[in-house]
Amino acid sequence: MTANRPFLFRVFFKLRVHEAHGDAFQKLFSHVMQYADPRFEAIQPYGNWGDGGNDGWIEEDGHYFQLYGPRPTSKGTAPVALKKALDDYEKLPLKWKNVRRFSFVFNDRFDGTPAPVASALQDLKLKKKLDSAGAYSMQMLLATFMGLTEEQRQDVLGAALPDDEVQLIEQAALGELLTSLTAVSAARTYFLNETAPDFEAKIVFNGLSQAVSHRLRSASYQVSIVDEFLGTQDAGTRQALAQQIHGYYLESQDAIPGGEDAPDERYFWLVERLVPSGSLSTLQTAAFRPAAELILAKYFETCDAYEHPDSNPSA
């Protein structure tokens, strides 16, 4: 395994967590847990019987898991999470036996467990005389995921990771991406008037890691290929394309609001956003990703993606 491989696994798993909610979050958690402990069994609701407050368990340990995966845009999740944690525990003894351990798995999106939830679970442990009761945070899930074999991690993610190095660009893939982006952005007429800052200054200002900075630099050496394509377009189309990329960057800020690794996570979020949606083969994805990274490097230079050093940092 190369040095950058664990970094890529961490970032792409965190992206999956950021995006997951509802049933998708439950499937993601169960997938990781079934590899981490083969005794773990996911529970599906059944008709009027429901699930009795049990989303998954390790029967031998009397360990029950209850999950809560709100949408990324949900507001005021702490009070809702607290009520769900307590209400779901009360359901357990009515339909399940030998409840000794209780874990509340809350998709905190790496912000940590809300204090009232952690405190209430601590009280629950004492009141019900449980062996353990607490929150299972996303940092804990990330650690569990990283403890899996590389093959298992790959299966959880369900898609091939990018290569460790930005590869040479396939002209056909780049042309297809730029043409499709031009078509999508054709209705935009907003003009950006930023003066591009120093490339390295922008990397430092935006807090990008060494690994992502290296990818941007490597891609930037081939930016002239994008410039050649843009040279065939009129000024309005060029500006519309820049605004499209800027719009994607704003979407990435909504999808990944903050956190120490947010700049890196947004980078790969943007790469995946630029890759065409739909069923792609591994070879097609391998061609589109470097092209997407080249486009991102171009618009990183011009400040349509990420922040200008003269602006206020957003995260």
Side-chain angles (χ1 to χ4, degrees):
M1 185 187 299
T2 62
N4 282 336
R5 207 69 178 160
F7 165 78
L8 290 172
F9 272 117
R10 280 195 300 272
V11 169
F12 271 77
F13 183 72
K14 291 179 78 173
L15 287 179
R16 295 290 185 273
V17 171
H18 277 295
E19 295 167 353
H21 59 87
D23 290 344
F25 176 62
Q26 184 165 342
K27 289 177 182 177
L28 179 64
F29 175 79
S30 297
H31 204 165
V32 173
M33 290 299 295
Q34 284 164 343
Y35 275 135
D37 189 337
R39 299 176 304 158
F40 176 86
E41 182 181 2
I43 299 296
Q44 294 298 318
Y46 182 79
N48 293 331
W49 203 91
D51 61 18
N54 177 13
D55 286 326
W57 65 337
I58 301 174
E59 184 177 7
E60 298 95 310
D61 296 345
H63 191 173
Y64 292 80
F65 297 81
Q66 179 55 228
L67 278 64
Y68 177 48
R71 291 181 176 274
T73 54
S74 297
K75 303 298 183 184
T77 55
V80 177
L82 177 58
K83 184 177 187 304
K84 181 168 178 57
L86 299 179
D87 289 352
D88 284 342
Y89 175 80
E90 294 300 330
K91 298 176 186 177
L92 279 172
L94 302 178
K95 294 185 176 180
W96 301 94
K97 306 294 188 294
N98 191 33
V99 180
R100 301 201 308 270
R101 302 178 64 188
F102 178 69
S103 290
F104 183 65
V105 187
F106 170 49
N107 189 352
D108 56 36
R109 295 183 169 84
F110 303 97
D111 286 337
T113 304
V117 175
S119 178
L121 290 168
Q122 187 179 51
D123 291 341
L124 182 69
K125 175 187 174 183
L126 297 175
K127 181 180 178 181
K128 302 295 184 179
K129 297 182 172 56
L130 299 172
D131 293 344
S132 67
Y136 195 103
S137 70
M138 292 304 94
Q139 285 292 353
M140 295 170 67
L141 187 61
L142 174 62
T144 302
F145 170 78
M146 291 303 296
L148 304 180
T149 67
E150 181 167 356
E151 183 179 0
Q152 290 170 339
R153 279 181 267 165
Q154 191 72 68
D155 186 51
V156 169
L157 293 179
L161 291 181
D163 292 318
D164 290 346
E165 299 284 343
V166 177
Q167 304 299 307
L168 291 175
I169 306 303
E170 292 189 22
Q171 296 273 3
L174 178 63
E176 185 174 338
L177 277 188
L178 286 168
T179 300
S180 64
L181 284 171
T182 301
V184 170
S185 61
R188 295 182 181 270
T189 57
Y190 178 82
F191 282 74
L192 300 174
N193 296 308
E194 292 275 20
T195 300
D198 177 76
F199 194 86
E200 294 299 322
K202 190 177 179 188
I203 284 175
V204 173
F205 179 79
N206 281 279
L208 293 164
S209 70
Q210 182 177 350
V212 169
S213 300
H214 176 70
R215 300 183 77 90
L216 270 171
R217 291 189 195 97
S218 297
S220 72
Y221 300 147
Q222 303 178 67
V223 157
S224 61
I225 304 173
V226 179
D227 291 332
E228 290 176 10
F229 175 90
L230 295 177
T232 67
Q233 308 297 312
D234 61 66
T237 299
R238 291 196 298 270
Q239 289 287 347
L241 185 56
Q243 182 61 12
Q244 184 71 26
I245 301 299
H246 184 65
Y248 287 163
Y249 177 65
L250 296 180
E251 286 181 31
S252 79
Q253 291 179 307
D254 289 336
I256 305 167
E260 182 180 355
D261 298 325
D264 288 349
E265 292 166 26
R266 288 174 188 156
Y267 176 86
F268 288 105
W269 186 96
L270 284 163
V271 170
E272 296 302 293
R273 183 69 174 83
L274 288 168
V275 171
S277 59
S279 299
L280 295 178
S281 68
T282 301
L283 289 177
Q284 287 173 315
T285 300
F288 278 122
R289 273 185 175 146
E293 291 195 70
L294 178 53
I295 293 170
L296 191 52
K298 166 63 181 177
Y299 290 102
F300 180 87
E301 277 188 350
T302 58
C303 285
D304 301 310
Y306 286 89
E307 306 297 327
H308 194 295
D310 292 339
S311 68
N312 292 321
S314 60

